[in-house]
Amino acid sequence: MSGRIEQLLRNNQAFVAAQLALDPGYFEKLSEGQHPEFLWIGCSDCRVPPDSITGTEPGDMFVHRTLANLVVQTNMTLLSVLQYAVEVLQVQHVIVCGHYGCGGVKAAMGDADHGLIDNWLRTVKDTQDYFWPQLGVLEEAARFRRLVELNVIEQVNNLGKTHVIQDAWKAGRRPMIHGWVFDLASGFLRRHTGEINGNHAIHEVCKFHGAGAGAPA
């Protein structure tokens, strides 16, 4: 077994010892079930660990991660996670979080052939095409950052239109939806939508209702 793998297992042993020293019943309580308040829909990028950057503990946050933090209406994995989080775990907030420097967004900006992933990133290309009047006048670095932001806003819009969220809102229940971007260069999370708790708020970020996503948040 490689040395790096052995190191991971040793790290786990140290983690267990440290937790038990603080609370001898920690793992017993952890095994009793989860009651998270948040669902995190983020990018798969290994530099954006949701618990570390938000200071949350195991059990606080249900997590789903995809390339470029996309909410695709035909992705059954995402829809299943969303339904379980909203209907069974009854999370109060769903956070869609992108990050500056996202490799998926960067790939979608160009014309190079990346194989299968190009199908997944088509929605980011569509966002770029729609907002090109705004993006095209920017220098490449600024365009990259702005497309990351617009992509988050678009995914918030997509999320709000899923049947899971629509059914919850019709029943007068949460969750609230939030669109954030993580800045790798500073470590800060930045909001790019308000707290969205109904269709009236979704319309404010939907490009088809006054192009709300076109204005910097």
Side-chain angles (χ1 to χ4, degrees):
M1 191 177 295
S2 72
R4 286 292 290 156
I5 291 295
E6 289 287 356
Q7 182 62 55
L8 296 183
L9 294 173
R10 288 194 295 271
N11 290 348
N12 170 253
Q13 293 172 356
F15 162 74
V16 171
Q19 292 298 326
L20 291 177
L22 293 171
D23 179 2
Y26 177 82
F27 293 104
E28 181 179 350
K29 288 181 286 187
L30 195 65
S31 68
E32 291 174 354
Q34 58 176 332
H35 305 284
E37 185 176 354
F38 311 98
L39 168 61
W40 177 278
I41 299 175
C43 183
S44 300
D45 194 300
C46 60
R47 299 169 295 175
V48 192
D51 51 348
S52 297
I53 65 176
T54 60
T56 49
E57 298 292 335
D60 291 342
M61 187 177 286
F62 205 54
V63 175
H64 181 74
R65 300 174 73 171
T66 68
L67 291 173
N69 47 273
L70 298 184
V71 177
V72 178
Q73 300 279 355
T74 55
N75 185 336
M76 295 305 297
T77 301
L78 178 138
L79 293 176
S80 298
V81 168
L82 180 63
Q83 181 176 21
Y84 186 75
V86 172
E87 297 181 3
V88 178
L89 299 176
Q90 298 185 352
V91 297
Q92 298 296 295
H93 303 271
V94 182
I95 300 163
V96 178
C97 187
H99 64 97
Y100 297 125
C102 179
V105 173
K106 183 67 172 178
M109 291 176 66
D111 297 322
D113 184 356
H114 301 94
L116 182 63
I117 192 175
D118 289 333
N119 296 282
W120 178 254
L121 297 176
R122 181 68 254 178
T123 183
V124 185
K125 286 184 174 289
D126 290 344
T127 297
Q128 177 176 240
D129 290 345
Y130 187 91
F131 290 107
W132 188 251
Q134 174 190 149
L135 295 167
V137 298
L138 301 175
E139 296 293 334
E140 184 175 358
R143 185 187 311 151
F144 186 13
R145 288 176 66 87
R146 186 59 183 147
L147 185 55
V148 165
E149 296 165 0
L150 290 170
N151 180 54
V152 164
I153 297 168
E154 284 290 281
Q155 304 322 307
V156 165
N157 181 48
N158 291 342
L159 180 63
K161 293 178 178 177
T162 62
H163 76 282
V164 175
I165 297 296
Q166 287 290 311
D167 286 351
W169 287 347
K170 287 174 184 176
R173 296 186 283 107
R174 291 194 176 190
M176 290 186 175
I177 304 175
H178 312 260
W180 295 354
V181 172
F182 178 61
D183 188 345
L184 290 166
S186 70
F188 287 110
L189 288 161
R190 308 192 186 281
R191 298 182 184 183
H192 284 276
T193 72
E195 293 187 337
I196 295 174
N197 61 355
N199 285 321
H200 64 288
I202 278 291
H203 290 170
E204 294 177 5
V205 300
C206 177
K207 62 177 177 281
F208 300 119
H209 290 81

